Amino acid sequence: METTTPRIVDLFEAGKVLKICAPMVRYSKLPFRALVRKYGCDVCFTPMIVAADFMRSNKARDSEFTTNDSDRPLIVQFASSDAQTLADAACVVAPFSDGVDLNCGCPQRWAMAEGYGACLINKPELVRDMVRLVRNQVAKPNYSTSVKIRIHKDLRRTVDLCQKAEAAGASWITVHGRTADERHQPVNCGAIQTIKDSVSVPVVANGDVRNLRDVEAMHRLTGVDGVMAARGLLANPAMFAGYEDTPLQCVWDWVDIATEQGTPFTCFHHHLMYMLERVSSQPERKVFNSLYSTSAVIDYLHETYGPVPDLEVSN
């Protein structure tokens, strides 16, 4: 059932930083999106979906893309190397989402070998054509089309890419402030600021965002309109609400959401491993990581951390 679509670009307000949950393979699925939305997250991404597989297989569509009426605003991220395939996939998900995003940043070898991800930053004309075709073929005037990129060593090439995407109709651009070869080096805030100053559409910064102070510092240093977090939200899904570490209330919220939605145990357990890593001792983590069933996890949480606290979520 099609739901009312807000204009994503209308969520970007002067002086306000839009807080966004990044696309994360295996992790930014519907239950986790429901959790971070409770704690100050403004927009969520799906995990990256390979558009060609999505269009080829009903099974892939059913397993890769799940949502519900409360899962909004929602951006579906696709990996694609072909404009028509991307546009076809966008048309399929458009009734159930608020925008699509083209992944131009994934540095994994398999993705780049298939012509996906970060290799697209070296093909600005193809990115331009893909953005333009999605804008032309999705019959929803409020639907957003965005790109998520990494930067070049020669920043002039990145500015050219972003300006071509903007001219083709990109609604906004997310910049991961590292090159495709960089993994743990500090994010290049100067590069993000240069890109922000070179386009008129909203720009979102991604990388090295682990708490609300990082959000504010990134905004101050770069002037961006939004900030996207990945690992920071895995470690603390309440990060955008201002919590330094995962509050116990958030842990129990995850238990409720995950069990209600039938989340597979491995996913349920892994999320809790991330959430509890900074608030538990090494012996506690060793015991917790060895648990093998949902009931064992819930029993452990009760015994170790006690009942759900009577706290209100701050926003």
Side-chain angles (χ1 to χ4, degrees):
M1 179 176 169
E2 186 166 339
T3 56
T4 303
T5 303
R7 274 170 47 94
I8 294 293
V9 292
D10 290 342
L11 300 177
F12 293 101
E13 300 176 13
K16 177 189 174 187
V17 186
L18 204 67
K19 301 176 184 69
I20 302 173
C21 178
M24 293 178 278
V25 175
R26 295 185 300 276
Y27 292 117
S28 53
K29 294 190 175 184
L30 177 60
F32 187 70
R33 298 196 299 264
L35 179 67
V36 296
R37 291 185 194 279
K38 288 176 67 74
Y39 289 88
C41 186
D42 298 313
V43 177
C44 289
F45 273 56
T46 68
M48 181 184 77
I49 300 169
V50 176
D53 295 343
F54 186 77
M55 293 307 299
R56 191 161 42 233
S57 163
N58 283 327
K59 183 178 180 181
R61 286 195 287 277
D62 291 341
S63 65
E64 295 293 328
F65 180 63
T66 55
T67 186
N68 58 32
D69 289 344
S70 60
D71 185 31
R72 309 299 288 272
L74 178 65
I75 306 296
V76 183
Q77 190 188 69
F78 285 111
S80 184
S81 59
D82 175 74
Q84 189 59 61
T85 303
L86 177 65
D88 290 343
C91 289
V92 171
V93 301
F96 317 103
S97 59
D98 305 297
V100 294
D101 184 82
L102 174 62
N103 185 311
C104 303
C106 179
Q108 295 186 43
R109 289 181 182 176
W110 73 265
M112 296 181 71
E114 294 290 334
Y116 306 145
C119 70
L120 289 176
I121 66 174
N122 299 315
K123 301 177 181 179
E125 288 78 16
L126 177 57
V127 172
R128 176 197 61 199
D129 293 345
M130 295 167 92
V131 170
R132 181 179 294 151
L133 198 62
V134 171
R135 291 305 298 260
N136 288 342
Q137 294 197 3
V138 173
K140 286 179 79 172
N142 290 346
Y143 205 65
S144 81
T145 304
S146 56
V147 295
K148 184 175 185 291
I149 67 168
R150 283 184 175 240
I151 59 174
H152 298 88
K153 289 183 179 177
D154 180 356
L155 200 56
R156 291 171 298 182
R157 297 178 64 194
T158 314
V159 169
D160 175 66
L161 168 70
C162 293
Q163 290 176 340
K164 280 185 168 63
E166 178 183 19
S171 310
W172 48 291
I173 297 167
T174 300
V175 182
H176 185 124
R178 296 183 176 96
T179 67
D181 296 325
E182 293 176 331
R183 294 295 182 272
H184 305 295
Q185 293 86 341
V187 161
N188 188 335
C189 291
I192 297 173
Q193 181 183 23
T194 296
I195 294 164
K196 168 61 184 169
D197 293 341
S198 302
V199 296
S200 58
V201 294
V203 172
V204 171
N206 177 220
D208 286 353
V209 176
R210 296 183 176 87
N211 53 53
L212 203 54
R213 292 189 307 280
D214 291 340
V215 172
E216 293 159 354
M218 183 67 76
H219 180 238
R220 185 176 64 254
L221 289 169
T222 64
V224 289
D225 307 278
V227 171
M228 176 183 286
R231 284 182 297 225
L233 280 175
L234 281 180
N236 179 10
M239 179 188 82
F240 283 147
Y243 291 94
E244 286 295 312
D245 294 306
T246 308
L248 186 55
Q249 176 68 58
C250 182
V251 171
W252 285 114
D253 284 340
W254 170 245
V255 171
D256 290 343
I257 291 168
T259 53
E260 181 182 327
Q261 297 195 17
T263 303
F265 174 74
T266 300
C267 179
F268 168 70
H269 193 205
H270 281 183
H271 273 294
L272 286 169
M273 288 181 190
Y274 280 112
M275 291 182 213
L276 296 172
E277 186 172 8
R278 294 205 304 242
V279 298
S280 58
S281 66
Q282 187 172 359
E284 287 173 339
R285 288 197 298 274
K286 186 174 181 180
V287 171
F288 184 80
N289 294 352
S290 69
L291 299 176
Y292 55 87
S293 71
T294 299
S295 60
V297 166
I298 293 173
D299 288 345
Y300 176 90
L301 293 174
H302 275 297
E303 292 167 5
T304 307
Y305 298 106
V308 184
D310 185 17
L311 295 176
E312 291 185 2
V313 175
S314 61
N315 285 307

